[in-house]
Amino acid sequence: MASDSFVNHAGYRYLRLSLLLVVGAIAAYAWHDPRPEPHGGTWLGFTLGGIAAFIVLILLWLGIRKRRYYSRFGTVRGWLSAHIWLGLSLPVLATLHAGFQFHWNVHTLAYALTLLAVVTGVWGSVMYLRNPRLMAAQGEEQNNTMAAASMRELEEEALQLADRISPRVHGLIAAAFKSRSPPGRWARAFRAKPGVGDVEADRYFAADGETWQLESSLAEELAASRDTKRVHGLRDLLQTIGRRRVLSLQQGQDLRLQAQLQIWLLFHVPISVGLLAALIAHVISVFFYR
């Protein structure tokens, strides 16, 4: 049995509702025969426009619902499912509402912003589907802070272990863990997924190429060493560096996902707010300046 996700939530409840709306709207539009031509001012145009406007308000509510962690008014997954499937019905409803009549005015602006909001919404949906961790990556600033603190503790532990081995090893460890300036949001978002041996190491990207090279060097030194105390020290040091690298890689992946989410929101949220403003102007112009 497939796991429940925002796509198939509640047995595709919102997909079925969306299909019902689209099929019903198309059937009503085919049956409707206004004179002289279809437009948004007919009874069907008002009906479809009202439904589309109501859906837009529902979709905008998702941004509020996501931040109400203790709300019992539906689950975030359910709201996201409704957001996606009902959003996909908007291009059809809005087009039939307008009766395919488009001009250079606020009505067409609202229509264009609707399409842009849907397109950017599809972009976000694909991101969520390809990276399920995005659902958990939202609002993880506290987890990032805890991970960074854990990494610093492991680095301090590694430096203490290196002190017991030799000044040369301590210098190598200190150089490998040297802090660097964090990369920008765009760099984090579009950098390839970090992998072992990446030479562009830094704790924010969590690629740790230098640390990986250092581990290889220390492993060779461990294999060649015959001093029992040095062997134990190198082994403990390698284990500490390895734990730090695993944590760093995970943090880098989380930061990359969060950066992608933030960049997507830079597009989707302003377009959605613009759509609300255009929708209000559209309604006011229809009812007060006809």
Side-chain angles (χ1 to χ4, degrees):
M1 182 176 179
S3 60
D4 186 35
S5 70
F6 66 88
V7 174
N8 61 1
H9 178 73
Y12 294 97
R13 173 189 299 166
Y14 297 106
L15 169 60
R16 290 186 276 113
L17 177 58
S18 179
L19 289 175
L20 179 63
L21 286 172
V22 169
V23 172
I26 293 174
Y29 187 85
W31 170 79
H32 188 48
D33 187 25
R35 302 297 180 189
E37 59 185 1
H39 58 89
T42 67
W43 69 265
L44 181 61
F46 276 118
T47 301
L48 294 179
I51 294 173
F54 181 67
I55 289 176
V56 168
L57 295 178
I58 291 177
L59 304 190
L60 291 172
W61 181 258
L62 174 66
I64 300 174
R65 174 60 185 86
K66 283 195 302 184
R67 289 161 178 79
R68 294 190 172 183
Y69 301 106
Y70 302 105
S71 173
R72 296 183 180 180
F73 189 41
T75 63
V76 172
R77 178 179 294 173
W79 276 94
L80 182 57
S81 181
H83 188 89
I84 292 167
W85 291 122
L86 292 179
L88 288 174
S89 70
L90 280 176
V92 176
L93 297 178
T95 302
L96 298 183
H97 157 68
F100 296 90
Q101 304 296 318
F102 304 109
H103 308 283
W104 293 101
N105 51 36
V106 69
H107 313 302
T108 302
L109 174 62
Y111 177 79
L113 289 173
T114 298
L115 297 184
L116 283 175
V118 171
V119 169
T120 55
V122 170
W123 170 19
S125 301
V126 172
M127 287 174 54
Y128 278 110
L129 288 172
R130 293 182 60 185
N131 300 290
R133 280 185 55 79
L134 276 175
M135 290 289 291
Q138 302 179 69
E140 282 194 343
E141 290 80 4
Q142 182 177 1
N143 291 345
N144 290 334
T145 301
M146 294 174 61
S150 298
M151 284 174 57
R152 284 192 294 270
E153 291 177 2
L154 289 172
E155 290 170 3
E156 292 173 1
E157 180 181 342
L159 288 170
Q160 292 173 3
L161 289 170
D163 269 337
R164 302 171 190 171
I165 299 173
S166 71
R168 182 185 67 84
V169 174
H170 180 277
L172 291 174
I173 297 296
F177 290 162
K178 185 178 180 181
S179 298
R180 306 182 181 188
S181 299
R185 179 184 299 165
W186 291 89
R188 290 202 306 268
F190 296 107
R191 185 176 187 274
K193 183 177 180 180
V196 172
D198 194 325
V199 296
E200 297 179 15
D202 73 52
R203 74 177 66 208
Y204 297 95
F205 275 144
D208 278 330
E210 291 178 6
T211 305
W212 176 260
Q213 294 170 4
L214 176 59
E215 285 184 78
S216 299
S217 175
L218 292 176
E220 293 175 359
E221 189 171 340
L222 172 62
S225 179
R226 295 294 180 267
D227 184 285
T228 303
K229 183 178 180 181
R230 188 178 181 85
V231 166
H232 287 302
L234 287 169
R235 184 180 296 134
D236 292 342
L237 178 58
L238 282 169
Q239 290 176 350
T240 302
I241 295 174
R243 293 201 305 271
R244 187 264 185 194
R245 178 167 50 82
V246 171
L247 181 60
S248 181
L249 285 167
Q250 184 61 68
Q251 186 191 28
Q253 176 70 352
D254 288 343
L255 288 172
R256 187 171 68 93
L257 293 177
Q258 290 174 34
Q260 290 178 355
L261 182 66
Q262 291 167 1
I263 289 173
W264 167 64
L265 290 173
L266 284 177
F267 290 93
H268 189 61
V269 171
I271 290 173
S272 300
V273 173
L275 169 59
L276 178 62
L279 183 61
I280 293 173
H282 167 63
V283 172
I284 291 176
S285 65
V286 166
F287 287 99
F288 294 98
Y289 298 100
R290 297 182 64 183

